[in-house]
Amino acid sequence: MRPSILALPILAYAAACTPAAEQAQPQTAAATPAPTVAPILTGEDARDASSYARPAEARVTHVALDLAADFAARRLSGTATLDVAATRDAKQIVLDTKGLEIRTVTDDRGRALPHALGAADADRGAPLTVQLQGARQIRIAYASAPGAEALQWLSPAQTAGKVHPFLFSQGQAILNRTWIPTQDSPGIRQTWEARIVVPEPLSAVMSGERLTPEGEPAATGTRAFRFRMDKPVAPYLIAIAVGDLTFQPLGPRTGVYAEPATLPAAAAELVDTEKMVETAEGLYGPYRWGRYDMIVLPPAFPYGGMENPTLTFLTPTFIAGDRSLNGLVAHELAHSWSGNLVTNAVWADSWLNEGFTSYFENRIMEALYGPRRAAQEAWLSWADMEKALKELGPDAAGTRLHDDSGADSGGIVYDKGATFLRTLERSVGRARFDAYLTSYFDRHAFQPMTSARFLADLRANLVRGDQALERSLLLDQWVYQPGLPANAARPDATAFAPVDSAVAAFNAGGAAARVPYGGWTTAERLRFLNALPRTLPQPRLAELDRNFKLSDSGNAETLFAWLQLALANRYEPAVPAAERFLLAMGRRKFVAPLFETLMGQGDWGQPIARRLYARARPMYHAVTTSAVDKVVK
C-alpha cells in the first residue's frame, strides 16, 4: 500500500509531512523544527490494534494534566484536559483507558458531555467514548486505580534512603492509559503540560521542561510542580517520578536526579554523559530536546532504562563503579533520535525504535571509547541474537522485525534490527549510510513511521533505483521474513580472540587461576562466562567462584551471567547470591530468566524459586510480575 498521511480538514499540516516515497533526495538543510500538531498516518500498515482510538475522525493534540499524588491511597487524581482535532462531521472521540475511575466529562465551558466506557479487554483496557457536541476541548475528572500497571508506589523500605516513599511510572508500551485518559497510541503524537501536587518534602520530575524546579505552594503540606512538553511526542513517553530527589549537574545541558544515598555513585558513573550527547550530535545531527537529564530510580524499576524525553529513567543496576555498563546510557540517549524524534506508529514496528537505537548506541560507543569496545559489545549483541534464533527457531514468526504478535515485542528486534542497519552500512559504505540516516531523522522529525514507509524512504533516498544494490540488500526479507538473511554483516569476532583461547584452555582442563579474568573488560568477562559449557561439575564451578569472586560481583551483568550458569548446575553456594540479587532489584531482564532457570531445576530449584518470589513479588513492577507470574506458578 502506498504510504499516505491524513491531514484533518480543520488542520494545516506542514510540508514536512510529505510521504517519504515522494521525496527524491536526502535533505541536508537545518534541522526540521517541531510542528505544533504532528501528522497522523493512514493505511493498514499504520493501524494500531492496541488502541481503541479512531484518529481519522477525532484525535488528541494536547494533554493538560492537573493531578495530586496520594501515597496512602496509591492514586493519582485530578483532571486531564484534552485538545481535540476532529473532522467537521465527527460526533465523538474515542480514548484509551484502563482501570480509571471516570468522574465527570465536560467541555471548555463546563457543560457535561455524554460519555460511556465500553467493554474492558484484559490487555487494552476499555474505550472511553465522549460525545463532542461541537467541543474541541474536553475536561475529564478522574482517578487512577491503586493497582494501575504504569505506576509503582514504593514504601520507604523499598527505596535507597529508607525514609520517604517513592512513585514512578513506566508507560511503554500501552500502560499510560492506566493513569492518563488519552489516545494511547505511539502514532498519535501529543504535546502536553502538567501540574503535579505532591506531599512535602517530596519532589516531582517529569519528561518535559521543568517550569518550577523547586515547586510552588499548594494545599497545606504539599507542593505543586509544573512541566511542559511543547514538542509532540508519543503518549507512552509521558513519565513521572516523585520522591526524595536531589540533582547534580554533569555538563551545560546534562545532569542526574537520584535519591541522596544514590547520587554520588550515580553521578560518578554518568560523568561522560555530556560527551555522549556531543558524540551523538556529531553522528546524526542536533539534539532537539533542550536538556538531557537522567534519573536513577530505586531498584524496583523493571527496565535497564526508559528513554523519556529530557529525562531518561535508569536502573541502579548499571552502576558498576567503572562506567563499564554505561552503554545503557548511550542507548537511551540514542532514542532521542530513533524512537522519540521518529517513532514507530504501531508496536508491530518497534524495531524502528529499538533496532535503530541499538545500532546508534554502538556507534556512540565506538566514537567515544574506541573500535575494540564497540566490536566486543556488537559481538555480544550478535550472540544474543543467535541464541534467540536458536531458542525460537529460525522460521518462527517472532524472529521477524515487523512483528504483529503483540504490543510488547521480543528482544530480537534490538539485535536483528541493529544487524540489519550494520548490513546496510557495510553494503553502501559508512559515509553514505550516515548521510542517509542524518537526512532520515531530519525529514521525519516529530513524526510516526512504519516499516513500509521506512522501506519506501530507503529505496527512494539510499538505493535510488540501483537494481544491483536492491537485489543485494534483501530489504523485504530482513523486515518481513523470519530468521537471518544470508547477507547479514557479522561483527569482528577477533576482538574476543584472547578470551576464546582462555575458554578453550579452561575447557581442556586448565586451571581457573591461569585465566586473566581480573584484567578483562566487562564484555570480555561476559564472553568468557557465556562461552563456558552449560554443564559443569561442582568442583569446577567452585574453582571459578573462588578465583573470580563471582558470587560477590558488584557488576549486575556479570553476576547475572554467573548465576545463570551456577543455578542451572544446582550449585548451592550461589543460592545466597541469587537471593540477594533477586530481592535487591526488579529489572525484568535479570529477574525473569533467573526464576525460569530455578523453575527448570525441578525439586531442587522450584522450592527456592517459590520461596524467593513470595518475598520479592511485592517489590516488583507489573512489567516484571507479568513475566514472572507465568514462570513461577
Side-chain angles (χ1 to χ4, degrees), residues 67-72 75-76 153 164-167 196-204 218-225 242-244:
L67 301 174
D70 185 336
F71 279 84
R75 285 176 176 256
L76 287 172
W153 303 84
H164 299 286
F166 204 102
L167 163 67
I196 306 295
V197 178
V198 304
E200 292 180 327
L202 304 183
S203 298
T220 302
T222 66
R223 288 188 294 173
F225 294 81
V242 179
D244 179 17

Side-chain angles (χ1 to χ4, degrees), residues 200-252:
E200 292 180 327
L202 304 183
S203 298
V205 291
M206 292 189 74
S207 52
E209 181 183 2
R210 287 164 280 287
L211 303 178
T212 54
E214 303 303 321
E216 58 189 19
T220 302
T222 66
R223 288 188 294 173
F225 294 81
R226 296 180 185 269
F227 308 90
R228 175 178 60 203
M229 172 51 70
D230 60 0
K231 302 169 181 63
V233 298
Y236 72 87
L237 293 171
I238 305 173
I240 187 173
V242 179
D244 179 17
L245 296 171
T246 51
F247 177 77
Q248 182 167 325
L250 299 168

Side-chain angles (χ1 to χ4, degrees), residues 315-537:
T315 170
T317 61
F318 88 100
I319 299 175
D322 58 2
R323 285 172 275 168
S324 62
L325 301 182
N326 64 355
L328 172 65
V329 182
H331 183 93
E332 306 309 333
L333 169 63
H335 268 303
S336 301
W337 286 258
S338 47
N340 297 1
L341 191 63
V342 185
T343 311
N344 52 235
V346 293
W347 291 111
D349 288 328
S350 64
W351 79 274
L352 292 169
N353 287 14
E354 299 299 352
F356 273 63
T357 294
S358 297
Y359 170 82
F360 192 172
E361 168 199 343
N362 194 251
R363 293 292 304 279
I364 293 172
M365 299 305 283
E366 178 182 337
L368 198 56
Y369 299 112
R372 181 169 174 266
R373 177 169 174 177
Q376 290 180 343
E377 294 181 1
W379 187 262
L380 292 178
S381 170
W382 175 275
D384 286 342
M385 178 181 63
E386 287 190 315
K387 180 181 178 183
L389 287 168
K390 182 178 180 181
E391 291 175 349
L392 295 171
D395 296 325
T399 66
R400 300 172 302 182
L401 287 180
H402 174 78
D403 178 13
D404 54 8
S405 60
D408 191 7
S409 59
I412 198 168
V413 298
Y414 292 71
D415 302 319
K416 184 179 175 181
T419 301
F420 178 33
L421 296 197
R422 189 175 298 113
T423 302
L424 294 174
E425 176 205 320
R426 292 193 184 177
S427 298
V428 303
R430 175 168 283 190
R432 181 175 170 185
F433 188 61
D434 281 354
Y436 166 73
L437 272 189
T438 302
S439 169
Y440 167 82
F441 289 134
D442 187 55
R443 284 178 290 111
H444 301 288
F446 305 104
Q447 297 180 39
M449 179 58 63
T450 67
S451 288
R453 294 155 206 265
F454 168 68
L455 290 180
D457 187 275
L458 194 70
R459 288 180 165 113
N461 295 295
L462 186 67
V463 178
R464 300 185 191 177
D466 185 333
Q467 294 302 309
L469 179 60
E470 169 78 25
R471 287 191 297 272
S472 70
L473 292 179
L474 307 176
L475 299 178
D476 292 322
Q477 184 179 341
W478 269 102
V479 175
Y480 296 115
Q481 297 301 315
L484 191 65
N487 67 340
R490 296 171 65 93
D492 181 11
T494 62
F496 282 128
V499 179
D500 292 341
S501 295
V503 171
F506 181 81
N507 290 345
R514 301 189 64 180
V515 175
Y517 186 88
W520 281 343
T521 65
T522 292
E524 289 167 332
R525 292 176 178 183
L526 289 172
R527 172 71 171 182
F528 176 79
L529 292 171
N530 291 330
L532 292 172
R534 294 300 87 185
T535 301
L536 283 174

Side-chain angles (χ1 to χ4, degrees), residues 144-218:
S144 65
E149 293 166 272
L151 304 176
Q152 185 158 18
W153 303 84
L154 302 178
S155 68
Q158 293 172 297
T159 68
K162 310 298 183 187
V163 176
H164 299 286
F166 204 102
L167 163 67
F168 67 83
S169 69
Q170 172 54 44
Q172 190 178 357
I174 58 171
L175 298 182
N176 265 1
R177 64 191 65 184
T178 66
W179 72 284
I180 305 172
T182 187
Q183 292 175 319
D184 189 14
S185 170
I188 310 176
R189 301 177 72 109
Q190 303 153 27
T191 55
W192 62 269
E193 61 188 287
R195 175 179 179 268
I196 306 295
V197 178
V198 304
E200 292 180 327
L202 304 183
S203 298
V205 291
M206 292 189 74
S207 52
E209 181 183 2
R210 287 164 280 287
L211 303 178
T212 54
E214 303 303 321
E216 58 189 19

Side-chain angles (χ1 to χ4, degrees), residues 77-296:
S77 62
T79 61
T81 303
L82 311 180
D83 290 356
V84 177
T87 57
R88 296 186 188 280
D89 58 351
K91 304 298 184 185
Q92 58 190 23
I93 185 169
V94 182
L95 308 174
D96 295 303
T97 73
K98 190 174 184 183
L100 298 181
E101 178 189 320
I102 306 298
R103 294 168 177 170
T104 62
V105 181
T106 59
D107 66 10
D108 58 344
R109 291 182 290 174
R111 296 182 308 162
L113 294 176
H115 61 279
L117 279 171
D121 176 89
D123 295 321
R124 294 188 299 163
L128 173 62
T129 302
V130 179
Q131 303 303 317
L132 290 171
Q133 299 185 345
R136 291 299 178 259
Q137 188 177 80
I138 60 176
R139 184 173 184 268
I140 303 170
Y142 72 100
S144 65
E149 293 166 272
L151 304 176
Q152 185 158 18
W153 303 84
L154 302 178
S155 68
Q158 293 172 297
T159 68
K162 310 298 183 187
V163 176
H164 299 286
F166 204 102
L167 163 67
F168 67 83
S169 69
Q170 172 54 44
Q172 190 178 357
I174 58 171
L175 298 182
N176 265 1
R177 64 191 65 184
T178 66
W179 72 284
I180 305 172
T182 187
Q183 292 175 319
D184 189 14
S185 170
I188 310 176
R189 301 177 72 109
Q190 303 153 27
T191 55
W192 62 269
E193 61 188 287
R195 175 179 179 268
I196 306 295
V197 178
V198 304
E200 292 180 327
L202 304 183
S203 298
V205 291
M206 292 189 74
S207 52
E209 181 183 2
R210 287 164 280 287
L211 303 178
T212 54
E214 303 303 321
E216 58 189 19
T220 302
T222 66
R223 288 188 294 173
F225 294 81
R226 296 180 185 269
F227 308 90
R228 175 178 60 203
M229 172 51 70
D230 60 0
K231 302 169 181 63
V233 298
Y236 72 87
L237 293 171
I238 305 173
I240 187 173
V242 179
D244 179 17
L245 296 171
T246 51
F247 177 77
Q248 182 167 325
L250 299 168
R253 54 181 165 172
T254 56
V256 57
Y257 292 90
E259 293 183 77
T262 305
L263 187 62
E269 208 77 3
L270 295 167
V271 70
D272 289 341
T273 302
E274 189 77 31
K275 293 178 183 177
M276 281 190 178
V277 178
E278 294 168 356
T279 299
E281 289 184 311
L283 287 167
Y284 298 124
Y287 177 78
R288 311 186 197 208
W289 302 93
R291 292 194 58 83
Y292 182 74
D293 292 325
M294 297 149 288
I295 177 171
V296 178

Side-chain angles (χ1 to χ4, degrees), residues 550-572:
L550 294 173
S551 294
D552 297 322
S553 175
N555 183 305
E557 293 284 353
T558 56
L559 179 59
F560 170 70
W562 161 245
L563 291 176
Q564 281 287 75
L565 176 64
L567 297 177
N569 285 277
R570 303 188 179 191
Y571 179 63
E572 194 74 36

